[in-house]
Amino acid sequence: MAEKERKRVALVASKGTLDMAYALLIIASTAASMGWEVGIFFTFYGFDIVNKRKVHRLKVASLANPAAPLPVPNILGVIPGMTAVATWMMRRMMKKQNMPTVPELLDLCRKWGVRLFACSTTMGMMSIKDEDLVEGTECAGAAAFLEYASKAQVTLFI
């Protein structure tokens, strides 16, 4: 009997905000827990999620974010400190729901074998070094990721 082929999901992370990191890593960890093969391609600002210096300081903006739990009129969103308030509120909300932190979710993904691809072009453009990345992140070009994604049943751009 032929072995059942594992489903594969290919995710692209181009934004490094707290809310986008949660969406990305919840999908990745859920798919991995279901036995799916998962790969995430980090590019542009998505690199903050796998940057050792930045992953603990991801933020969420209140400006132009009408879907926030406590919507803030845009005019108030430009007041200094509003991003910090929105970030604090989101972290508190996630803690109340017993959600892991972003670094904890990232660790969980790595333990379940989620492949973390760092876009080599973005690394060069933003002067990001290998030592800036969390353990287990592999440098890859777009062609390598496209080869990976070409065999995926699900591909999402987050």
Side-chain angles (χ1 to χ4, degrees):
M1 179 184 338
E3 188 175 318
K4 188 176 178 183
E5 189 173 316
R6 287 176 69 190
K7 290 183 180 178
R8 180 183 279 189
V9 61
L11 305 169
V12 177
S14 67
K15 296 174 182 68
T17 59
L18 186 61
D19 51 336
M20 294 308 230
Y22 268 110
L24 173 79
L25 296 173
I26 288 170
I27 290 171
S29 61
T30 300
S33 74
M34 294 167 57
W36 289 34
E37 185 179 348
V38 182
I40 307 172
F41 188 71
F42 294 91
T43 187
F44 290 94
Y45 305 115
F47 257 98
D48 288 358
I49 299 167
V50 288
N51 186 319
K52 286 186 223 174
R53 291 177 290 127
K54 296 183 177 181
V55 67
H56 297 277
R57 296 181 291 161
L58 300 180
K59 296 177 177 37
V60 62
S62 59
L63 185 63
N65 194 355
L70 181 61
V72 175
N74 279 340
I75 191 71
L76 297 178
V78 299
I79 296 172
M82 288 305 289
T83 296
V85 170
T87 301
W88 174 80
M89 287 178 65
M90 182 165 184
R91 288 186 197 280
R92 187 179 72 164
M93 184 175 68
M94 299 309 269
K95 189 173 183 174
K96 272 186 171 179
Q97 296 299 316
N98 294 318
M99 290 293 298
T101 64
V102 167
E104 289 169 342
L105 269 175
L106 193 57
D107 284 344
L108 195 60
C109 285
R110 290 189 324 211
K111 286 178 186 165
W112 280 336
V114 172
R115 291 183 67 186
L116 309 174
F117 299 98
C119 173
S120 59
T121 302
T122 302
M123 286 182 73
M125 195 175 71
M126 295 183 160
S127 300
I128 298 170
K129 299 178 178 64
D130 286 335
E131 57 265 22
D132 296 332
L133 303 175
V134 298
E135 185 180 328
T137 307
E138 54 188 287
C139 182
F145 182 72
L146 285 171
E147 181 62 32
Y148 179 89
S150 72
K151 296 177 180 80
Q153 287 77 33
V154 177
T155 304
L156 300 172
F157 191 93
I158 298 176

